[in-house]
Amino acid sequence: MVRQLRSDLVEERTPALLVYSQEHPLHEVRNLLIRQGIETTRVRDCAQAELAINSRRPPVMVFTATDLSDGTWEDILASSSTACSPVPVVVVSNQDDPRISSKAWEAGVAGLLAPPFSDEELGRVVRSAMLNGFLASTTNCDLTEGSYSNAENHMGSGVLTPQA
């Protein structure tokens, strides 16, 4: 019953949230997500993202630029920690930057992306982020090997396979 309820809650949540204000590599990520069957919505700043994240139907995951007009990825991560359901955050930077990567992993992001993007890399990051979110939502109940397998099946059930 608890597992079914959790599954229903995931399906009722809004699509992936993209947070970026100007031209940014996230536009390319958006196109890849759509091609892989993942719906997206976009906001332009931390304030709008916080409203979406802390709504009754938070996004399944968030992809955020490193710098925004009213804050940074760290503000988005902080907002995700106050959501009613776990919201994994993926940081998308303009280039591979070891300083940002190190700081982001230490802070607890679910993933990092930098150009060049590929369907395979994006699929891996999305599956990992969704699995992290699912596992975070089950921390208060018994997690068995079977539920871990169910999480992988539910979260990565072929939606993210590369399109030919």
Side-chain angles (χ1 to χ4, degrees):
M1 173 74 172
V2 171
R3 286 192 184 107
Q4 179 62 40
L5 179 61
R6 288 188 193 283
S7 177
D8 292 344
L9 290 174
V10 168
E11 291 172 8
E12 290 177 10
R13 291 171 65 177
T14 59
L17 179 67
L18 307 179
V19 188
Y20 64 105
S21 57
Q22 299 173 12
E23 281 303 310
H24 189 275
L26 266 164
H27 185 71
E28 185 180 344
V29 170
R30 178 185 172 272
N31 293 336
L32 289 171
L33 287 168
I34 290 169
R35 191 167 70 216
Q36 292 187 10
I38 299 172
E39 293 181 41
T40 65
T41 58
R42 177 185 176 200
V43 297
R44 298 178 187 277
D45 59 35
C46 293
Q48 292 174 334
E50 183 174 12
L51 288 173
I53 291 168
N54 288 299
S55 71
R56 294 182 69 194
R57 292 182 59 199
V60 173
M61 69 178 55
V62 175
F63 290 83
T64 183
T66 55
D67 293 311
L68 301 157
S69 61
D70 61 346
T72 69
W73 64 268
E74 293 169 293
D75 298 306
I76 302 299
L77 187 62
S79 292
S80 75
S81 70
T82 62
C84 63
S85 298
V87 180
V89 175
V90 176
V91 175
V92 182
S93 63
N94 292 324
Q95 62 188 6
D96 192 14
D97 183 339
R99 291 174 300 141
I100 290 175
S101 296
S102 177
K103 191 173 184 180
W105 284 123
E106 288 174 10
V109 299
L112 292 162
L113 283 171
F117 304 114
S118 70
D119 284 320
E120 294 80 17
E121 180 66 10
L122 180 62
R124 184 193 62 74
V125 169
V126 168
R127 282 189 302 275
S128 176
M130 291 180 78
L131 184 57
N132 286 340
F134 178 84
L135 292 175
S137 71
T138 59
T139 56
N140 292 331
C141 58
D142 292 332
L143 189 61
T144 64
E145 185 177 323
S147 62
Y148 182 85
S149 177
N150 287 341
E152 285 183 319
N153 289 336
H154 179 73
M155 300 303 182
S157 60
V159 173
L160 304 173
T161 55
Q163 304 290 316

